[in-house]
Amino acid sequence: MSEDRDADVLRRDARRIFLAAVQAADPAPLVHGALLNAPELRERAPVHVLAAGKAAHAMAAVALETLGDRVESCVIAAPAAGGDTALEYDARVQTFGAGHPLPDEISVLAGGAARDLVQRASPDSVVVVLLSGGASSVMTLPAAAITLADYRDAVASLQAAGADIHEVNCIRKHIDDVKGGNLARIARTPRIVVLLISDVVGNDLDVIGSGPFAPDRSTFRDALDILHRRSLMHAMPPDVAYHLRAGADGEVPETPATGDTAFDGIRHQILADNTTALDAAVAFAGRLGYPVVRVTEPVTGEARDAGRRFAELLLTQSAEAQDTCIIAGGETIVTITGDGAGGRSQELALAAAIVLDGCQNVVLLAAGTDGVDGSTDAAGGIVDGHSAARMRASGVDPDDSLRRNDSHAALAASGDLVLTGPTGTNVMDIQVLLRAHAPPFNALYESAANRAKPTTLPAGSRTKTSVDL
């Protein structure tokens, strides 16, 4: 193994490891294989395709090619900013470049088109559903009494408060007519196969894309409990609050749950998830010669807290006379209290940069596999022990930037943004931590290391080892 990995080499390797993780979740070969082996498609029944989410274009293109003239109609709903404009479709296909992370008027049109597709498909046909992260926003149909503006305000309030995807989608499922199993409820054909790229911790079928064809485990009462627990009832538009209360009182039909006959004949198959990406990252880092430590639990909670813990964990490995690679994944949250711009991976990276300030030969990359972090043009950030100094040299105070949730500007100032553009997949976030074997002996480093949480690694382990974060 090389004994002279400097920060530039570590940064290059971290990017290569991240890109290997993204490539492993490429939906094209996964969709192709799943369709060829789908028992629902062995007979030459007519097919209708519904694709929604950040990977919608990539997934639908493969389905159209694989199934050929068997496809009678196709609806594709994808984020407007990530749509593949190079693809050309025939008259069978309706495409919608919709709003994300908040729905817009095009999202509502897409939701209506999805409803029409499942109601139009004849009982002898097969509906192929292709879902990926972002589907909840790009395919929306607010309940009759709720306007799009009120729907957006409700979701935005939850996101700003740091609600996780399970909480946000619980509310969505109960104010939206195409979520929470509602599309299954109105489908004419019982033969529906749902292929998913999961962006949800735990791979819960009723949470991925807000589960349009899955039994809903949540209720109107659960939705109200979330709002009360987060003290957000006052932030809900009156019509949203009234609708949720009416549902809890039995005045609005509950979403269909397990055991409902609407789900007879529906099959879900997860094609890729965060584990898929992590497996590839671990394997590629091993080929680069790094002993790999894998964080086995999903990374959740506040992004800035995770960034600090990651940096401290990296520093505790300094006494080892070998290079170190730590790989993790999951989905954090950001509770917005400032006026800046950024995303969860950028905020995680900024928090880590502050802890790593002054250290040598350490690098941390945090990025979303979809290539889009928050509402910015970046996938995330990659920082080292000099990132904070570069920010200050550019007139940016990293601590103040973190306080104001302004991670994008801070990382841009230090040249530490990860820019990939939309990747066409979405299996949550990846974190790659690298340290060269030469320990940075200085007062700043020793002070940070002394603050770090002690961590014990299994003796003699080189790859796929576990560690608690």
Side-chain angles (χ1 to χ4, degrees):
M1 183 185 303
S2 171
E3 296 186 355
D4 60 354
R5 298 190 207 254
D6 58 17
D8 288 339
V9 174
L10 295 177
R11 291 171 72 92
R12 181 201 66 193
D13 287 350
R15 291 178 183 274
R16 294 174 69 193
I17 293 168
F18 170 69
L19 292 176
V22 172
Q23 185 176 12
D26 178 1
L30 303 173
V31 171
H32 179 68
L35 293 177
L36 289 181
N37 292 298
E40 298 87 349
L41 298 171
R42 287 172 186 162
E43 300 176 3
R44 284 195 60 83
V47 178
H48 301 268
V49 176
L50 170 61
K54 296 179 180 178
H57 281 286
M59 298 176 82
V62 173
L64 290 167
E65 181 179 359
T66 303
L67 300 173
D69 60 7
R70 295 176 60 185
V71 178
E72 293 191 347
S73 70
C74 176
V75 169
I76 302 173
D84 192 338
T85 56
L87 293 175
E88 295 184 2
Y89 302 105
D90 58 37
R92 298 172 297 170
V93 183
Q94 291 178 276
T95 62
F96 299 88
H100 185 275
L102 293 175
D104 59 10
E105 292 83 358
I106 305 300
S107 305
V108 177
L109 293 176
R115 176 196 58 198
D116 295 344
L117 182 146
V118 299
Q119 290 181 320
R120 180 176 64 247
S122 61
D124 65 339
S125 65
V126 179
V127 173
V128 172
V129 182
L130 309 168
L131 288 183
S132 54
S136 293
S137 180
V138 300
M139 186 174 70
T140 297
L141 199 60
I146 298 172
T147 66
L148 174 61
D150 284 350
Y151 188 109
R152 286 169 55 93
D153 287 347
V155 173
S157 295
L158 285 156
Q159 293 174 338
D164 65 30
I165 192 63
H166 290 76
E167 294 172 313
V168 174
N169 284 2
C170 176
I171 306 300
R172 282 170 161 156
K173 287 183 287 185
H174 290 90
I175 61 173
D176 194 313
D177 287 343
V178 297
K179 296 178 171 57
N182 279 318
L183 283 183
R185 176 181 270 167
I186 64 173
R188 292 179 62 205
T189 177
R191 295 194 293 175
I192 300 174
V193 54
V194 186
L195 306 180
L196 309 101
I197 304 293
S198 174
D199 66 332
V200 171
V201 173
N203 292 342
D204 299 307
L205 298 179
D206 62 330
V207 181
I208 303 170
S210 296
F213 295 91
D216 189 10
R217 296 175 299 164
S218 67
T219 64
F220 279 102
R221 178 56 57 187
D222 293 329
L224 289 175
D225 288 345
I226 290 168
L227 297 178
H228 284 301
R229 185 169 63 249
R230 288 195 168 272
S231 301
L232 286 175
M233 281 302 299
H234 71 282
M236 291 297 106
D239 286 344
V240 170
Y242 178 83
H243 179 81
L244 293 175
R245 291 192 183 101
D249 291 339
E251 299 172 14
V252 175
E254 186 56 84
T255 50
T258 301
D260 194 302
T261 58
F263 304 109
D264 293 349
I266 297 180
R267 180 173 66 87
H268 287 74
Q269 180 181 348
I270 294 177
L271 303 180
D273 60 7
N274 195 244
T275 298
T276 307
L278 290 177
D279 287 345
V282 168
F284 190 81
R287 289 197 294 273
L288 291 178
Y290 289 95
V292 182
V293 175
R294 178 169 178 170
V295 178
T296 55
E297 292 298 316
V299 179
T300 58
E302 286 288 340
R304 63 181 61 193
D305 294 338
R308 294 180 183 117
R309 292 197 304 271
F310 271 130
E312 292 169 350
L313 176 61
L314 188 58
L315 295 178
T316 62
Q317 309 307 307
S318 63
E320 299 291 334
Q322 59 181 7
D323 294 352
T324 296
C325 174
I326 301 172
I327 293 175
E331 183 167 291
T332 57
I333 59 174
V334 174
T335 300
I336 299 174
T337 58
D339 58 355
R344 57 184 183 250
S345 288
Q346 292 168 83
E347 184 147 317
L348 189 157
L350 175 57
I354 293 170
V355 176
L356 296 174
D357 190 13
C359 300
Q360 303 296 320
N361 300 325
V362 290
V363 165
L364 180 147
L365 179 149
T369 54
D370 58 356
V372 180
D373 190 35
S375 58
T376 74
D377 60 350
I382 178 169
V383 297
D384 55 46
H386 304 290
S387 293
R390 291 195 296 271
M391 293 173 196
R392 289 189 289 266
S394 298
V396 174
D397 181 347
D399 292 289
D400 181 63
S401 295
L402 185 61
R403 180 184 61 80
R404 295 189 298 106
N405 303 115
D406 200 22
S407 54
H408 187 269
L411 293 170
S414 59
D416 290 330
L417 291 173
V418 175
L419 299 167
T420 64
T423 63
T425 191
N426 184 17
V427 289
M428 297 190 286
D429 303 335
I430 299 291
Q431 297 87 33
V432 180
L433 292 68
L434 298 178
R435 181 196 59 79
H437 79 284
F441 294 114
N442 60 52
L444 282 174
Y445 170 80
E446 291 175 355
S447 174
N450 289 336
R451 296 195 305 269
K453 181 177 70 174
T455 304
T456 301
L457 302 180
S461 297
R462 289 182 58 84
T463 61
K464 295 191 179 181
T465 327
S466 64
V467 62
D468 292 329
L469 177 60

